Amino acid sequence: MPLKRMDNILIVVDDLDAVKSFFTELGLELEGETTVEGPSVAALIGLKDVRATLAMMRTPDGQGVELDKFHTPDAVRFGPADAPANALGLRRIMFAVDDIDGLVAHMQAHGADIIGQMQYGDSYRLAYIRGPEGIVVGLAEQLGQA
């Protein structure tokens, strides 16, 4: 059976409010927030005594970024928050944008750090920014669009 679509990506965070604000400034909307707990949640994710607050953020085209703040058990960090680009695991998420310069400036004004920028041939301009908790977001502006 083929996949229908990607529903969402999960990012476990410590400061849920700061990360929600970061993604809101980036252009995502908060779809909803809830707390989950109990045996069925614990069985699903393979942890005991789970209690977590989830915030679902959506891009303008409906793609989801789920932010989870674990109250129990405590979240565990593996490696540094500002892991290098070649560290194993999920390193970034990327969004298509129309005005990369404007969005980078906006995000910097709201505390994001610029990691780097480049132009990929005549096709794309790219920028990587770092937000709260070391979250890396890639921005891609397609060039030559009509």
Side-chain angles (χ1 to χ4, degrees):
M1 220 175 231
L3 294 176
K4 290 172 58 174
R5 70 176 190 280
M6 185 184 89
D7 187 69
N8 69 65
I9 187 166
L10 166 66
I11 303 173
V12 177
V13 302
D14 188 43
D15 188 342
L16 185 59
D17 288 334
V19 179
K20 283 190 314 188
S21 292
F22 173 77
F23 280 108
T24 299
E25 290 300 332
L26 197 58
L28 280 74
E29 291 186 16
L30 178 64
E31 181 179 70
E33 188 170 321
T34 190
T35 299
V36 297
E37 59 189 323
S40 60
V41 174
L44 175 65
I45 65 174
L47 295 172
K48 293 182 182 185
D49 302 320
V50 173
R51 183 171 178 273
T53 301
L54 286 59
M56 181 58 72
M57 310 288 298
R58 292 277 177 200
T59 62
D61 68 344
Q63 301 305 306
V65 175
E66 179 181 329
L67 308 173
D68 288 13
K69 160 68 176 164
F70 279 84
H71 305 287
T72 60
D74 289 336
V76 177
R77 181 176 302 282
F78 287 100
D82 296 342
N86 64 339
L88 295 174
L90 181 66
R91 296 286 43 102
R92 64 148 173 82
I93 56 177
M94 185 170 278
F95 299 102
V97 301
D98 288 328
D99 177 12
I100 200 165
D101 293 328
L103 188 53
V104 166
H106 177 79
M107 295 308 296
Q108 284 181 300
H110 286 87
D113 295 320
I114 184 100
I115 296 171
Q117 298 183 65
M118 69 168 280
Q119 184 163 324
Y120 186 73
D122 294 331
S123 345
Y124 285 93
R125 290 188 59 221
L126 305 171
Y128 282 16
I129 60 173
R130 189 180 310 275
E133 302 193 27
I135 295 170
V136 176
V137 169
L139 305 171
E141 180 180 0
Q142 189 172 3
L143 301 174
Q145 298 182 81

